[in-house]
Amino acid sequence: EYWLLVARDVSKMLRLEQMRRDFVANVSHELRTPLTVVHGYLDMLDPAESPEWAPMLAEMQKQSQRMTQLVEDLLTLSRLEAQDSLPDESVAMAPMLATLRREAEALSHKRHTIIVQDEAGVDLWGSNKELHSAFSNLVSNAVRYTPVDGTITIRFSREADGSAVLGVRDTGYGIPASHLPRITERFYRVSTSRSRESGGTGLGLSIVKHVLNLHQARLEIESEVGHGSLFSVHFGPERVHPRNDASL
Ligand code: ADP
C-alpha cells in the first residue's frame, strides 16, 4: 500500500519534471524566430543616419543579443537534459587548446595574460562539440571575472592514476566559499550586477555541469576572494587515450 503511494508520487514528479522540461524547450524555441527578426532589422538600422538615436540603438542591439544568447543557452540545456549519453568521439586536445586560447584572446582584447600549458600528451573520448562548449564556458568566465592585467592559465595535465585534468585558473575576483555549493545551479549568480555587466546569462556553469555529467567527469572548484579561482575538470582513465601523432 505504502510503496504504491510512493511509486505514484514518484511517477507524478517525473511527469511534472518532463512537463517543465518541455515547457522550457518550447518557449525557448518559440522565442527564437521573433528574436531573429528583431535582431535582423536592428542590424539594418544605420546609427549614422540619426545620431540622436545612436545610443538607444546600441542599447537595443546589446539587449537583443543578450536575449538571443539566453535563448540559445536555454535550448542547449534542454537538449542536454534530454540526452542520457553523447557520441564517443576522439577529442584531439592540441587543437582544442589552440581554439580555447583564441577564444580567450578574443574576449580579453589583450587586457589579460593568457597562458596555455599542454602537458598531458593524451587525448580524450567524448563529444567534441559539447566538451568544447563546456571548456569554452569556463574560459569565458575566467576572462569575464578577472580584472584587467590578470592572468588566465589553461592547463591540460595528467595525474598519477592515469586520469587527465583540464584546469582553468584565473587571478580574478574569486567566489566566496558560501556560494560554491550552488554555483552550478541555473541562474545562480554571486553578484547579479557584475554578471550582467560581464554579459553572462547565468546558465554557463549549469551547461558545464550537464556536459561533464554526461562524460562522467568531475568538476572541482577552488577559489579565494580577491585572489582568483581554479576550475578543474577531471576525466577518469577510461576517458583518456594516447595522442595520435598522425593527426597533429
Ligand atoms: P554567468 O553567465 O552569470 O557568468 P555562470 O553560470 O557561468 O553564469 O556562472 C555563475 C556565477 O558564478 C557567475 O555569475 C559568477 O558570479 C560566478 N563565477 C563563475 N565563474 C567565475 C570565475 N571564474 N570567477 C569568479 N566568479 C565566477
Side-chain angles (χ1 to χ4, degrees):
E1 182 80 358
Y2 172 76
W3 288 113
L4 202 68
L5 285 176
V6 170
R8 216 177 277 156
D9 277 355
V10 168
S11 89
K12 192 172 165 198
M13 263 167 54
L14 288 176
R15 224 173 35 240
L16 284 173
E17 173 64 9
Q18 188 57 45
M19 277 169 68
R20 180 193 67 76
R21 283 183 192 178
D22 290 348
F23 178 74
V24 173
N26 289 338
V27 171
S28 312
H29 195 78
E30 290 302 320
L31 283 172
R32 213 186 207 172
T33 315
L35 263 175
T36 313
V37 176
V38 171
H39 209 67
Y41 280 127
L42 277 175
D43 276 347
M44 280 164 62
L45 298 177
D46 181 4
E49 273 180 27
S50 51
E52 76 271 32
W53 280 66
M56 287 178 256
L57 197 58
E59 186 60 21
M60 281 158 79
Q61 261 157 354
K62 194 175 128 200
Q63 296 300 339
S64 88
Q65 223 146 39
R66 243 180 83 78
M67 239 191 298
T68 306
Q69 190 57 54
L70 198 57
V71 167
E72 290 309 316
D73 281 358
L74 281 171
L75 281 171
T76 303
L77 265 180
S78 299
R79 188 168 46 75
L80 290 171
E81 274 181 342
Q83 260 160 328
D84 331 301
S85 68
L86 291 170
D88 241 351
E89 313 152 343
S90 172
V91 179
M93 286 305 285
M96 175 75 83
L97 291 165
T99 305
L100 294 175
R101 176 199 285 280
R102 273 199 305 279
E103 288 171 352
E105 285 170 350
L107 267 176
S108 157
H109 295 292
K110 300 207 183 341
R111 289 175 298 201
H112 308 86
T113 307
I114 315 282
I115 300 171
V116 177
Q117 300 170 326
D118 185 4
E119 293 164 4
V122 290
D123 286 336
L124 298 174
W125 292 116
S127 154
N128 272 291
K129 177 173 162 230
E130 311 298 355
L131 281 181
H132 169 248
S133 125
F135 297 159
S136 180
N137 265 300
L138 294 178
V139 169
S140 129
N141 281 349
V143 175
R144 290 186 298 115
Y145 297 111
T146 300
V148 176
D149 287 339
T151 302
I152 318 297
T153 311
I154 305 168
R155 178 164 180 251
F156 187 48
S157 59
R158 196 87 192 272
E159 304 274 271
D161 67 356
S163 57
V165 183
L166 184 99
V168 180
R169 185 189 290 278
D170 66 59
T171 59
Y173 305 115
I175 303 160
S178 60
H179 290 273
L180 283 181
R182 300 192 56 196
I183 200 105
T184 58
E185 289 174 18
R186 328 161 170 224
F187 296 117
Y188 191 86
R189 281 142 165 187
V190 175
S191 148
T192 319
S193 56
R194 184 179 283 159
S195 173
R196 286 244 166 79
E197 258 167 52
S198 74
T201 61
L203 295 172
L205 286 182
S206 190
I207 293 177
V208 170
K209 189 81 199 175
H210 271 85
V211 170
L212 297 187
N213 281 347
L214 287 168
H215 284 87
Q216 298 84 40
R218 183 166 51 84
L219 177 66
E220 232 172 66
I221 312 173
E222 291 162 56
S223 191
E224 208 182 322
V225 174
H227 285 90
S229 313
L230 170 61
F231 286 73
S232 321
V233 184
H234 294 256
F235 294 92
E238 72 287 350
R239 287 268 156 210
V240 174
H241 70 86
R243 209 168 267 192
N244 178 3
D245 284 329
S247 70
L248 291 183

